[in-house]
Amino acid sequence: MPMIFSEHMEHYDLETIFPCRSDVIPPYERIEVDIVAVHCLNIEAKYFVHKSTWSYSSKLWPRDILPSCYQKRCRVMLFSWNDGLAVTEEDSRFVKHGDRLLRLLMENRLEDPTRPIVFLCHGVGGLIVKEALVKAHLDKTGTIHIIDQCTRMLAFFNTPHHNVAKSVRNIASAAVNPTAPDVLDKLDKACEEHVERMAPMEARGRLYRRRVIINFHGTSLYRGTGMLLVEKEDTMINARPDYWEKYFPVYGDHTSMCRYRSSEDLTGETVLKTIGLNTHLALRMFPTMEIINRPRFRF
């Protein structure tokens, strides 16, 4: 079985799972939004964690169910980042994975770089997305800031926004294969660096402005641990009043909260409708072209 923290060669990918062939999409089903799903740590030791995170049996809901919320006018991509965090000092930093995400997004959006983006983030995946958006926002070269400007919605599944180190340690400690103490220490350091980088952006109100934020929280204890891996209070950003932040409790633990057996699954139906409706709200409230044409913020 693969380790939670990969020691093999680095592998990053942004796999398009819907539509199967973008070159044969009829004009009336043109792609209007990019949906990017980012997984958490591989605590279940899965070989394809970027897919298993969002799968129940053979049902991969971002591919099989979610497009119906957008009348199939969307492109769904899964970001794969090493099945987890590596054991080296450099690879334990979230900012590195955020850099790879930015590069792959730029490469995959050449045909329409201004298309709106929706991120679906599970656990630590949310920290990686935040790292990417901060770097894109602060970009002075004029190359990657378009990613920040085009991001219209962030949907977090059990992503810790407060007490980050404690929550990430809980997640890593719940792995089916015991996590070494020195790896946990590297994670603590990575979390401290992450919080330090995020603080100025959050203080200035830049990270969540002009986009809808949804926080889904798993309400069930994680199997075998007898605890919530991420506390409710830590999943709520409690951002400024002018931010569009919403909170929804979800029946399930840290992993099962992202897995729905069918479109008739009550939890899945609620989550998917919430994502779909709020995407339309975000696109209507914050048109992408209006944001792009505005002067950039200066620090």
Side-chain angles (χ1 to χ4, degrees), residues 187 205 230 274:
L187 276 177
V230 184
T274 299

Side-chain angles (χ1 to χ4, degrees), residues 5-297:
F5 302 114
S6 307
E7 293 181 309
H8 54 72
M9 183 182 299
E10 288 185 359
H11 175 70
Y12 294 89
D13 190 20
L14 195 59
E15 179 182 353
T16 299
I17 58 173
F18 183 90
C20 295
R21 290 188 58 188
S22 59
D23 58 327
V24 295
I25 298 177
Y28 58 85
E29 289 186 358
R30 67 187 185 279
I31 297 175
E32 296 182 349
V33 61
D34 278 342
I35 302 170
V36 183
V38 186
H39 64 85
C40 186
L41 299 180
N42 190 13
I43 62 176
E44 295 178 320
K46 300 286 187 178
Y47 278 103
F48 301 104
V49 63
H50 67 295
K51 290 185 177 180
S52 64
T53 295
W54 318 99
S55 299
Y56 185 96
S57 186
S58 61
K59 182 71 68 173
L60 180 60
W61 63 263
R63 177 195 64 201
D64 302 328
I65 308 176
L66 185 61
S68 62
C69 297
Y70 299 90
Q71 298 180 327
K72 298 185 178 180
R73 297 179 179 178
C74 64
R75 177 172 62 169
V76 183
M77 297 177 283
L78 304 181
F79 177 57
S80 173
W81 51 282
N82 273 13
D83 300 338
L85 291 175
V87 295
T88 66
E89 191 74 33
E90 175 64 21
D91 288 345
S92 65
R93 303 174 67 232
F94 305 133
V95 66
K96 174 180 179 179
H97 305 296
D99 289 345
R100 299 299 191 277
L101 174 59
L102 284 173
R103 177 177 60 81
L104 289 171
L105 282 173
M106 294 299 295
E107 293 175 356
N108 283 269
R109 286 167 51 85
L110 293 176
E111 84 288 353
D112 188 0
T114 62
R115 183 181 296 145
I117 303 173
V118 170
F119 284 105
L120 309 180
C121 317
H122 181 221
V124 172
L127 307 183
I128 292 172
V129 169
K130 286 162 64 170
E131 291 278 7
L133 291 178
V134 165
K135 182 166 184 177
H137 183 86
L138 298 176
D139 173 52
K140 299 183 183 301
T141 66
T143 56
I144 60 175
H145 72 275
I146 191 70
I147 299 298
D148 174 63
Q149 292 179 315
C150 291
T151 299
R152 297 275 62 82
M153 191 175 81
L154 299 170
F156 296 109
F157 293 79
N158 252 28
T159 291
H161 303 291
H162 310 285
N163 295 316
V164 176
K166 174 186 175 183
S167 297
V168 173
R169 178 175 277 260
N170 286 346
I171 295 171
S173 299
V176 294
N177 296 325
T179 307
D182 63 315
V183 175
L184 293 175
D185 292 339
K186 290 184 176 69
L187 276 177
D188 288 340
K189 183 177 180 180
C191 291
E192 292 173 2
E193 293 177 352
H194 169 78
V195 171
E196 185 177 350
R197 279 190 296 271
M198 296 301 108
M201 290 287 288
E202 293 184 343
R204 293 184 175 95
R206 298 292 187 257
L207 193 55
Y208 309 112
R209 180 173 291 178
R210 296 193 302 274
R211 55 184 59 130
V212 173
I213 311 299
I214 302 177
N215 295 309
F216 295 107
H217 175 241
T219 59
S220 302
L221 305 180
Y222 190 73
R223 55 185 181 277
T225 65
M227 67 178 188
L228 294 173
L229 300 187
V230 184
E231 297 291 341
K232 171 184 176 180
E233 295 74 15
D234 295 333
T235 62
M236 303 172 68
I237 299 172
N238 295 322
R240 295 152 51 138
D242 54 328
Y243 291 166
W244 284 78
E245 179 188 6
K246 304 178 181 182
Y247 167 82
F248 295 92
V250 175
Y251 177 77
D253 60 28
H254 183 71
T255 55
S256 66
M257 67 179 295
C258 298
R259 294 168 176 162
Y260 319 124
R261 66 185 70 191
S262 70
S263 58
E264 298 178 355
D265 181 275
L266 181 59
T267 300
E269 181 183 17
T270 301
V271 170
L272 269 64
K273 285 185 176 179
T274 299
I275 292 173
L277 291 174
N278 281 278
T279 299
H280 292 301
L281 172 64
L283 297 182
R284 187 168 62 249
M285 291 178 56
F286 313 112
T288 303
M289 293 310 300
E290 290 186 12
I291 302 300
I292 292 174
N293 292 330
R294 291 181 182 178
R296 294 185 63 197
F297 289 101

